[in-house]
Amino acid sequence: MKIIVGIATAGRREVLSETLLHLTRQDRKPDAILVCPSSPEDVDETFAETLSVPVTIVAGERGLTKQRNAILSAIDVGDLLIFFDDDFLPQADFLANTETLFLKEQDIVVATGLVLADGIHGPGIPVNEGLEILARDRAAGTLATLEPVYNAYGCNMVFRLSAIEADGTRFDERLPLYGWQEDVDFCRRLARYGRIVRSGQLRGVHLGNKRGRTSGLRFGYSQVANPLYLLRKGTVSLRWALHLMGSNVAANTIGSLSPQGLVDRRGRLKGNLIAFADLLRGRIDPQRMLEL
């Protein structure tokens, strides 16, 4: 199979270089790596040219959905597309196990892996620590688990390109900047073509680097506006939207009573409230976060 890795990146030049170098150490190397930066300064092209796997820089507009769509449009021929976050370190056998899985299970259209550690929930994980976690995990061995999931986790998503090409599926560009929940929307639109699964043999570490993140206020607005937008589109259920919004608003309310430093809970809660006010006024829209 021809396996292409796509990475949309913003403001993480050094971390991206570490991730690209790590990808060249895969047991089964990618056939191509496509990187779409939000600006030319986001990629050290001189370093990328020294790598053993070809890295192509794809031009695109700023915004996760737009950058991922630019990567999709740049693909000529391929079988599998793996979107990695620029701070995701896959286990060395990730691509090899991906190929085996998609060759064996022809009805799988989307797969995601097991995240061994996720720095998004804290201050972030340094690269060296992430590599140590991977080394310990590989020494311990893995179990061949496979379970159905609602969607792939955005930091590591594997797609069968034939399913995407069936109706030219693209990421919704009305979800701006960080694009929160764009992974859910994209995966649910592909669900009609086959199974969405999580494999215990696809493993990695999400560093959760804090550079390039959306502000607390804007992110809080998206926590309400984006699920409601996807509900109106029909790609998610009412139960899913209410659960997601409720859990985030609750976490922001509790967290705002005792600020957590790296997580701007008060900013997020303010964004939540602005979104609910917009809902009552009948003007809630994901794009509104750009005005905040």
Side-chain angles (χ1 to χ4, degrees), residues 21 41 49 59 89 101 106 148 156 159 166 168 174 201 205 208-209 217 241 243 260:
L21 177 61
E41 294 74 26
E49 289 171 356
L89 302 179
L101 175 65
Q106 293 291 323
N156 73 107
F159 298 104
R174 289 197 60 77
Q201 290 191 306
V205 174
N209 189 280
L217 180 66
H243 174 75
Q260 300 173 337

Side-chain angles (χ1 to χ4, degrees), residues 74-153:
I75 296 173
D76 183 17
V77 177
D79 298 296
L80 300 179
L81 169 63
I82 306 178
F83 274 120
F84 285 136
D85 274 5
D86 53 14
D87 59 349
F88 183 81
L89 302 179
Q91 186 59 276
D93 57 4
F94 194 108
L95 266 67
N97 288 339
T98 294
E99 185 169 40
T100 299
L101 175 65
F102 276 79
L103 284 172
K104 180 181 178 182
E105 307 285 348
Q106 293 291 323
D107 62 336
I108 291 177
V109 294
V110 182
T112 193
L114 181 64
V115 178
L116 301 169
D118 196 346
I120 200 69
H121 302 301
I125 300 171
V127 173
N128 288 342
E129 184 179 332
L131 295 175
E132 290 173 2
I133 294 170
L134 291 177
R136 291 195 298 269
D137 173 70
R138 188 154 205 191
T142 61
L143 295 176
T145 59
L146 193 66
E147 59 183 329
V149 290
Y150 194 69
N151 61 277
Y153 184 15

